[in-house]
């Protein structure tokens, strides 16, 4: 009887060891949870095509610096002087133009500043499937100065408002005319294989 009892204990111990071993193997085979995908990792999956509204090709002119305005008042409260301009790092103001039927260019904003522009380049206004409006520039040799200077960091700033209110442009982007796009403030820069973009609306 002792031998049978010893036999049962031995078999039981072997079975327990086999179950523990099999369980530990299965634990190792369980799928490993991948880290959550960040926006930078999914950037190539932005739904460029098909695009709901379309693409508007624009010529952009950019003034470097940060916009400032200093107003000096007289003792009676009237304005003595106004000093304004652009200095420092950033994009002080942007002007966008579309090509018209005669081959010339017209502004896509009713507000045009008289700044001397530091560089110009080609850009695209794009509406994606999820309704975002992007300002994208391609990294091409003829666009290099504008591309490098406009996207000067991972976060860029446009300090003077660029108001896109041209009816045809808004119509192509499927935005109502009374829903103008105001581009001002800080924007995160996203990278693609052929260029960079910011989300402006």
């Amino acid at each position: 009887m002792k031998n049978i009892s010893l036999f049962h204990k031995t078999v039981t111990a072997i079975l327990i060891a086999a179950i523990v071993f099999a369980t530990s193997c299965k634990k190792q085979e369980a799928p490993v949870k991948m880290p959550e995908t960040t926006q930078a990792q999914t950037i190539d999956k932005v739904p460029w095509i098909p695009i709901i509204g379309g693409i508007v090709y624009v010529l952009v002119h950019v003034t470097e610096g940060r916009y400032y305005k200093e107003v000096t008042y007289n003792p009676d409260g009237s304005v003595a002087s106004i000093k304004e301009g652009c200095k420092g790092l950033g994009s002080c103001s942007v002007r966008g133009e579309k090509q018209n039927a005669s081959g010339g260019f017209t502004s896509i904003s009713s507000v045009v500043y008289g700044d001397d522009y530091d560089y110009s380049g080609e850009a695209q206004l794009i509406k994606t499937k999820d309704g975002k409006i992007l300002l994208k520039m391609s990294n091409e040799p003829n666009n290099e100065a504008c591309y490098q200077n406009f996207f000067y960091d991972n976060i860029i700033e446009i300090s003077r408002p660029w108001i896109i209110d041209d009816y045809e442009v808004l119509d192509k982007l499927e935005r109502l005319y009374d829903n103008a796009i105001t581009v001002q403030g800080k924007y995160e820069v996203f990278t693609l294989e052929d260029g960079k973009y910011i989300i402006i609306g």
Side-chain angles (χ1 to χ4, degrees), residues 17 32-33 36 41 50 66 79 87 135 139-140 153 179 186 198:
V32 178
K33 186 180 178 186
E36 289 185 16
Q41 292 170 319
R66 183 176 172 83
V79 176
K87 59 184 177 182
L135 174 64
N139 186 13
E140 299 172 358
D153 207 343
N179 195 9
K186 293 184 178 180
I198 57 175

Side-chain angles (χ1 to χ4, degrees), residues 27-106:
K27 282 183 184 175
Q28 289 176 356
E29 290 172 7
V32 178
K33 186 180 178 186
M34 297 298 287
E36 289 185 16
T37 307
T38 63
Q39 193 167 17
Q41 292 170 319
T42 60
I43 211 62
D44 289 331
K45 297 178 184 175
V46 171
W48 297 103
I49 297 172
I51 294 162
I52 292 176
I55 300 177
V56 180
Y57 292 90
V58 291
L59 186 64
V60 292
H61 311 283
V62 183
T63 305
E64 287 185 327
R66 183 176 172 83
Y67 176 69
Y68 71 92
K69 185 174 183 179
E70 299 169 358
V71 181
T72 306
Y73 296 94
N74 293 315
D76 64 357
S78 61
V79 176
S81 67
I82 298 174
K83 291 181 182 178
E84 60 181 337
C86 305
K87 59 184 177 182
L89 183 67
S91 295
C92 181
S93 62
V94 179
R95 178 177 178 177
E97 297 177 319
K98 64 176 184 178
Q99 193 163 20
N100 54 36
S102 62
F105 289 90
T106 54

Side-chain angles (χ1 to χ4, degrees), residues 140-169:
E140 299 172 358
N142 64 335
N143 221 26
E144 189 175 351
C146 189
Y147 179 85
Q148 296 295 338
N149 288 295
F150 187 72
F151 298 116
Y152 60 87
D153 207 343
N154 294 329
I155 302 234
I156 64 169
E157 184 170 10
I158 299 169
S159 52
R160 212 171 189 185
W162 176 29
I163 300 166
I164 302 171
D165 57 6
D166 180 83
Y167 177 79
E168 288 181 2
V169 170

Side-chain angles (χ1 to χ4, degrees), residues 173-191:
L173 299 173
E174 294 189 344
R175 292 286 288 255
L176 299 174
Y177 183 65
D178 61 352
N179 195 9
I181 301 166
T182 301
V183 186
Q184 184 182 29
K186 293 184 178 180
Y187 295 89
E188 185 175 358
V189 175
F190 299 96
T191 303

Side-chain angles (χ1 to χ4, degrees), residues 8-10 14 43 48 70 97 107 120 122 125 131 141 144 165 169 179-180 190 192-193 200:
H8 283 293
K9 287 181 182 177
T10 306
I14 290 171
I43 211 62
W48 297 103
E70 299 169 358
E97 297 177 319
S107 177
S120 299
E122 296 174 4
L125 297 171
E144 189 175 351
D165 57 6
V169 170
N179 195 9
F190 299 96
L192 293 167
E193 286 182 10
I200 62 172

